Amino acid sequence: MARDTLRAEGRAQDDADRELGVDPADEGSPAASRSARPGKDRRGTLRGAETLRWLWTQLTSMRTALVLLFALALAAIPGSLLPQKPTSPVRVREFIANNPQLGAFYDAIGVFDVYASPWFAAIYLLLFVSLVGCIVPRIGVYLRGLRAEPPRTPRNLGRLPAHLRLGSSGDSEAVLATAEQVLRERRFRVRRLDDSVSAERGYLRELGNLVFHVSLVFLLCGVAMGALFGYKGTTAVVEGQSFSNTLTQFDDFSSGGLFNPGQLVPFTVTLDSFTAKFETGPVQRGAARVFLADTTTTLDGVTTQQQLEVNHPLVLGDSVVHLVGHGYAVDVTVKDGNGDVAFSGPVILLPQDGNFLSVGVVKAPFARPERLAFEALFLPTAVDQNGVGVSVFPDALNPQLLLNIWTGPPKESTGQPENVYSLDRTGLTQVTEDGKPVRFTLVPGEMFDVPGGGSIQFNGWKRWVSLQVSSTPGLWLVFGSVLAAVAGLCLSLFVRPRRVWVKVSGDVVEVAGLDRTEGRGGLDDELQLIADGLGLAPHEPQGAGSEVSGVAAPQPTDADRDDDNADTQPADDPKPAPAEPPTSAENEGKP
Amino acid sequence: MADYWSNLLMVTSVVVYLLALAAFALEWAAARRLELVGAPAAVLVGTEGAPIEGAEAVSDSDAADQKTQVRVDMFGRMGLALTVIGWGLHLSGVVARGMAANRFPWANMYEFVTAALLFVVTAYLVMAFRGVRWLGLPVTLLVVIGQGLAVTVFYVAVAPLVPALHSVWFVVHIVAAAVAGAAFNIGGLASILYLIKARAERRERVRGYLAKLPSSTRIDELAYRFTAFAFPLWTFAIAAGAVWAEYAWGRFWGWDPKETWSLVAWVVYAGYLHARATAGWRGKRAAVVGIIGLACFWFNFVGINLLVSGLHSYAGI
Ligand code: HEM
């Protein structure tokens, strides 16, 4: 079996494999690993240490790694099917409201925030401990084996999966010298022995394997760095307005445990204009086609005009500004009962659907004698559907502003921040006429006189964009690691370690090979090429025209290929163990 | 205009693939009449590499068997020829779609399915001409179902891209995912065949078409090769997706359902590769893991696109 032939690197490799638990004999078996340890009688004192060691062996075994991998896959699933707090808090609240018992249970076990839950962390941390535990010894083995020579030539080459017998004219020295050269040209590492040449290649496979696994550890470090030192905040900016990168200007902000607000790079972004275009054709009508923000940015006293698009964030110092959303703001002027301007400017409304039906509140807390507030509904492309106004297109083709009015006595300023998007109705009453709430619709330029004093004018609409400002230290570590991981993977999956021996005995030259992994085949072809390189013809034993004598392989090409593949498979009946290449002891201590 | 032709070509390709499927099914059905011939492992070894499997795989003692054998082979070749025609139509359909849209044709579920299946058929044809025609039945079955669903359920008319898709990663990420997906699919189909064949071998009832298949060992190896080819590419596709997400959405990983399930599939396939290197898991268990991986891939594609809402919703249906 592959594993048997694979493990011929000497004691160190054997040990490493045992650590990995890949040796079929002791895989996952406490008895097996314990029996290797000395002294039943000393059990009492050794028990603690032994147990720990046993646990460590278990944890770093391949079987445990497999179980943890599957556990990770399983654990990741609920988070994709249930709403998650970080991304959709509203849906989580709805879920809990609709299913109080189940919801409370789910909440208690953390499935509404799977990826931050302790059990999820436990799985991947264990996996990584297991990974480190298994990869560190392997690195040692690899480094020690880097300059190791190819193994000794097995006694009976005929038992190897691919084997050629060639006839030679006699001079064994010359044949072996040519063999060395031919094999070197084929990028084998070559070792000259008395009557044979032993060659091996494909050392990059294990290197790739190690690089891959080590990269995963670095990847985790990179992610952790971003999580600890990074920050992310969002803010809404109306056309013509600016944002400067300080904590107070964010609508919401989150940062890692080791983040320091002093880290925030001082810059400003002014949104000069924002262009949005939508599909007007019959297919996908209303789908977004163009989002383009023209901005003026200032960083370190340098002012530049830049365009911000969905796939082209602004990079300012170590921070990145992404365009993550947009919507409508209505520009209104509110006059109070005294005829003074109580509020004027754009008010950000929040889109509710794909056609940007948007809602919000126009507040004039300083209006006197009564303060005023308006609940606003904005329809960019308004259409009357059975008496209900709806928007049928995301662009502002027929903008209308629907309002109702609330008034109340002036409120003492508490200094408490207030939600700008919703109306706290305490202390307010809705303005009514004939017992019915007053509702009215404005188009840009129109004005409405509030019954009882005051007015509101709809000057026009503007767009606002939602900007995400973030910094993710470690990002390059993350992507660099992934790149290295992919490169390592390719090596580990596509490099095929192979051993070849050329042995001279009398007038017979044997060429034999062994693939150390299952793979593409082609071993026989390579042996044939080597034979051609030696310039030798098949050995003719007294008349009979035997050429190739692979194990049970009458046909040179296909059949052989099949057979040598079969050799790496467990399903096949136990063959004569492929000539145990060189024993460990022999190899040990060699440079 | 181009979109009209594209639709016509796609629909025609489904019909032709269906005929190919029928031919391959007849090949299997006809082969049922063949009794267990020789020791399959020994005989079948010779078929690899020969474009036409066959005639030598039968004990020539029985003339009736000979005749059946010829029929089996004829159906097989018909299936292959039809697959080639279907592939030509399919390819033209995808190209015409790209011309109609004036961009690469893989922006929504319909386009992705047709493009990915094109890779599947291409890979199969390359294999078929190198002696692996026996995958014809499962591959055409997959393609008929996939293309059939594409032209009926997933179909959306040609439209330009939403701004989030304006990126070079549109090519890199999606092509990587489509090619990896194609290879995973072929690998998964081979794993299924492997389980069937290995079972028959264990019960020593290798008969009919099963006898014409290579040994379970070889099928398993084919499954491994495709999966091993796909895995780094899948890793890369996810990584490219992460880079793109960093640009487009402002974070490289956000546990979006699509991201989560890509990772789930990735982890399961990593499990597959490890399983094959672990003594007790080789063979059947590894194959089962591979099939689970494929199931995850499909769920990620069909289930997540249609059932769950997330940022990655470009299905357009
Ligand atoms: C984050 C989790 C892990 C992933 C995604 C992963 C992935 C991979 C992949 C893709 C391969 C190449 C497969 C092959 O060459 O056969 C591999 C090989 C290997 N992995 Fe992992 N691995 C992980 C964790 C571990 C852990 C925890 C261990 C040790 C307990 C481990 C031990 C090995 C070994 C020994 C090989 C070489 C197998 C061989 O001889 O070919 N891996 N791994």
Side-chain angles (χ1 to χ4, degrees):
Chain A
M1 292 194 310
R3 187 43 71 178
D4 297 324
T5 55
L6 272 179
R7 275 183 309 112
E9 247 76 7
R11 294 258 353 119
Q13 174 70 60
D14 276 347
D15 279 343
D17 275 357
R18 202 149 291 139
E19 297 277 60
L20 291 170
V22 284
D23 189 332
D26 66 9
E27 201 202 346
S29 139
S33 37
R34 198 171 294 158
S35 64
R37 313 248 136 68
K40 267 194 177 118
D41 36 353
R42 277 186 284 157
R43 211 181 228 175
T45 49
L46 282 184
R47 184 167 260 162
E50 256 185 48
T51 312
L52 275 181
R53 229 192 126 156
W54 178 75
L55 276 178
W56 179 248
T57 316
Q58 288 304 297
L59 181 61
T60 55
S61 84
M62 187 87 128
R63 174 189 279 187
T64 308
L66 272 174
V67 170
L68 287 171
L69 274 173
F70 293 131
L72 184 70
L74 271 182
I77 292 175
S80 71
L81 304 178
L82 289 171
Q84 297 292 293
K85 280 180 185 165
T87 46
S88 33
V90 180
R91 281 175 51 217
V92 173
R93 255 178 276 131
E94 273 170 15
F95 189 99
I96 297 179
N98 295 341
N99 315 275
Q101 264 174 355
L102 191 64
F105 173 66
Y106 280 177
D107 203 18
I109 61 171
V111 286
F112 289 127
D113 196 359
V114 168
Y115 309 110
S117 69
W119 43 271
F120 192 73
I123 295 173
Y124 69 75
L125 288 178
L126 269 181
L127 184 62
F128 275 90
V129 170
S130 161
L131 179 70
V132 169
C134 112
I135 219 65
V136 167
R138 264 177 100 100
I139 294 179
V141 171
Y142 183 76
L143 291 181
R144 263 172 278 136
L146 256 188
R147 287 181 302 143
E149 297 211 284
R152 294 189 151 272
T153 309
R155 220 157 300 133
N156 188 351
L157 287 181
R159 283 159 74 189
L160 287 172
H163 179 232
L164 296 176
R165 280 171 74 86
L166 309 168
S168 125
S169 50
D171 184 0
S172 72
E173 273 306 309
V175 170
L176 290 178
T178 322
E180 271 192 78
Q181 195 194 341
V182 168
L183 287 165
R184 286 229 162 80
E185 275 164 13
R186 304 191 68 82
R187 301 203 329 255
F188 278 86
R189 184 181 293 185
V190 178
R191 175 180 180 190
R192 174 68 189 268
L193 296 144
D194 289 343
D195 58 350
S196 63
V197 170
S198 167
E200 176 161 16
R201 76 160 182 225
Y203 294 84
L204 283 181
R205 180 177 201 271
E206 177 70 356
L207 178 69
N209 197 16
L210 295 174
V211 166
F212 171 73
H213 287 85
V214 171
S215 304
L216 291 183
V217 178
F218 279 103
L219 173 82
L220 188 71
C221 294
V223 171
M225 245 172 97
L228 287 175
F229 295 99
Y231 74 88
K232 178 183 286 186
T234 52
T235 179
V237 182
V238 181
E239 286 175 295
Q241 293 186 345
S242 308
F243 161 81
S244 55
N245 195 24
T246 52
L247 274 186
T248 53
Q249 292 232 346
F250 285 105
D251 296 338
D252 78 84
F253 187 85
S254 64
S255 60
L258 299 178
F259 168 81
N260 162 11
Q263 248 173 268
L264 287 178
V265 187
F267 62 77
T268 61
V269 177
T270 306
L271 180 66
D272 302 324
S273 68
F274 178 67
T275 313
K277 293 210 176 92
F278 302 91
E279 180 65 50
T280 52
V283 179
Q284 294 186 4
R285 183 189 298 269
R289 290 293 172 243
V290 175
F291 293 140
L292 177 64
D294 286 297
T295 64
T296 306
T297 59
T298 310
L299 171 69
D300 294 332
V302 183
T303 299
T304 34
Q305 305 231 309
Q306 301 191 54
Q307 290 194 325
L308 170 61
E309 286 178 83
V310 177
N311 274 300
H312 300 278
L314 303 175
V315 179
L316 297 157
D318 72 346
S319 298
V320 192
V321 179
H322 283 92
L323 178 61
V324 294
H326 71 108
Y328 288 98
V330 287
D331 188 5
V332 292
T333 303
V334 178
K335 288 191 177 157
D336 61 14
N338 300 337
D340 298 326
V341 172
F343 174 85
S344 185
V347 175
I348 289 177
L349 307 180
L350 299 181
Q352 306 295 306
D353 63 19
N355 286 322
F356 282 78
L357 175 146
S358 308
V359 299
V361 186
V362 178
K363 294 179 187 177
F366 305 112
R368 295 294 178 272
E370 298 270 272
R371 62 191 167 113
L372 287 169
F374 304 84
E375 284 179 326
L377 179 67
F378 179 72
L379 306 172
T381 300
V383 163
D384 187 59
Q385 259 179 16
N386 310 326
V388 183
V390 294
S391 175
V392 294
F393 193 73
D395 211 347
L397 302 180
N398 178 32
Q400 289 186 0
L401 183 59
L402 280 58
L403 298 158
N404 61 34
I405 318 165
W406 297 75
T407 63
K411 197 166 99 177
E412 258 172 64
S413 175
T414 57
Q416 290 285 323
E418 224 188 296
N419 186 336
V420 292
Y421 302 115
S422 68
L423 184 63
D424 177 6
R425 291 174 182 165
T426 42
L428 294 176
T429 47
Q430 188 162 19
V431 175
T432 55
E433 230 173 26
D434 307 333
K436 279 201 270 172
V438 174
R439 298 175 201 276
F440 54 99
T441 302
L442 300 179
V443 298
E446 271 188 335
M447 194 178 87
F448 182 81
D449 286 317
V450 177
S455 69
I456 180 166
Q457 168 142 14
F458 179 24
N459 304 318
W461 54 271
K462 289 183 168 179
R463 295 187 196 273
W464 58 267
V465 297
S466 173
L467 298 182
Q468 174 190 293
V469 184
S470 62
S471 162
T472 320
L475 197 62
W476 292 110
L477 189 55
V478 169
F479 287 131
S481 306
V482 173
L483 216 64
V486 173
L489 255 185
C490 290
L491 286 182
S492 115
L493 289 172
F494 304 136
V495 169
R496 314 198 326 100
R498 176 171 283 176
R499 286 177 179 169
V500 169
W501 293 275
V502 178
K503 185 167 162 188
V504 182
S505 27
D507 64 344
V508 179
V509 177
E510 288 177 283
V511 181
L514 177 67
D515 269 336
R516 301 178 61 217
T517 54
E518 48 191 328
R520 241 160 284 263
L523 178 57
D524 297 280
D525 299 341
E526 175 143 33
L527 290 196
Q528 194 56 56
L529 287 173
I530 292 168
D532 294 349
L534 291 174
L536 299 178
H539 179 60
E540 313 258 339
Q542 274 91 44
S546 114
E547 13 177 270
V548 177
S549 66
V551 178
Q555 298 295 309
T557 51
D558 304 324
D560 264 7
R561 185 172 306 153
D562 196 68
D563 200 69
D564 80 58
N565 290 325
D567 177 66
T568 63
Q569 291 298 326
D572 275 17
D573 49 346
K575 284 184 190 301
E580 179 69 41
T583 63
S584 333
E586 283 168 332
N587 251 355
E588 217 167 24
K590 294 268 160 57
Chain B
M1 195 59 197
D3 57 342
Y4 169 78
W5 283 108
S6 170
N7 297 347
L8 190 66
L9 285 162
M10 294 285 197
V11 174
T12 321
S13 79
V14 181
V15 176
V16 177
Y17 283 140
L18 197 62
L19 294 175
L21 172 64
F24 284 127
L26 284 174
E27 182 191 13
W28 283 58
R32 285 185 69 91
R33 310 245 322 259
L34 289 175
E35 272 312 303
L36 176 61
V37 268
V43 179
L44 282 159
V45 161
T47 59
E48 153 84 338
I52 299 151
E53 298 174 14
E56 75 272 23
V58 201
S59 61
D60 44 10
S61 60
D62 192 345
D65 262 7
Q66 279 276 19
K67 244 175 102 183
T68 315
Q69 185 56 50
V70 171
R71 284 224 338 255
V72 169
D73 203 55
M74 184 191 71
F75 285 131
R77 274 194 262 180
M78 253 167 64
L80 187 58
L82 285 164
T83 312
V84 173
I85 299 173
W87 175 81
L89 294 164
H90 187 169
L91 175 68
S92 326
V94 169
V95 171
R97 176 82 181 187
M99 279 160 39
N102 201 14
R103 56 171 169 73
F104 289 99
W106 41 70
N108 50 50
M109 198 165 171
Y110 166 71
E111 291 172 355
F112 185 91
V113 173
T114 54
L117 287 177
L118 186 63
F119 288 120
V120 170
V121 182
T122 311
Y124 166 66
L125 288 179
V126 171
M127 299 298 293
F129 287 106
R130 298 171 67 198
V132 189
R133 194 179 76 198
W134 46 269
L135 267 176
L137 184 69
V139 166
T140 46
L141 182 64
L142 172 77
V143 173
V144 164
I145 295 174
Q147 279 282 85
L149 281 175
V151 296
T152 51
V153 182
F154 303 155
Y155 179 78
V156 289
V158 173
L161 299 178
V162 295
L165 296 183
H166 287 285
S167 170
V168 287
W169 299 100
F170 176 63
V171 181
V172 179
H173 170 65
I174 300 178
V175 170
V179 175
F184 278 142
N185 271 284
I186 294 186
L189 292 178
S191 284
I192 295 171
L193 280 187
Y194 162 79
L195 289 182
I196 297 172
K197 175 91 188 205
R199 197 176 118 128
E201 280 172 2
R202 237 174 306 123
R203 300 184 169 185
E204 296 181 358
R205 287 181 48 190
V206 185
R207 232 164 265 170
Y209 199 84
L210 281 186
K212 278 177 60 53
L213 293 181
S215 67
S216 63
T217 307
R218 283 203 51 70
I219 304 180
D220 185 39
E221 189 187 323
L222 192 86
Y224 169 74
R225 277 192 214 161
F226 271 95
T227 309
F229 167 78
F231 188 72
L233 207 58
W234 183 242
T235 314
F236 176 75
I238 297 177
V243 176
W244 192 0
E246 173 63 28
Y247 279 107
W249 301 331
R251 86 287 183 295
F252 63 88
W253 194 267
W255 297 106
D256 184 74
K258 184 66 87 181
E259 293 168 345
T260 306
W261 276 88
S262 302
L263 185 72
V264 169
W266 186 86
V267 167
V268 173
Y269 277 115
Y272 171 81
L273 294 176
H274 280 82
R276 290 185 57 104
T278 307
W281 284 71
R282 253 175 248 159
K284 190 174 150 196
R285 280 209 225 174
V288 170
V289 174
I291 294 168
I292 295 175
L294 186 62
C296 292
F297 177 87
W298 279 343
F299 181 77
N300 190 22
F301 187 57
V302 181
I304 296 298
N305 280 10
L306 301 184
L307 305 180
V308 185
S309 73
L311 283 172
H312 211 281
S313 355
Y314 301 114
I317 306 169

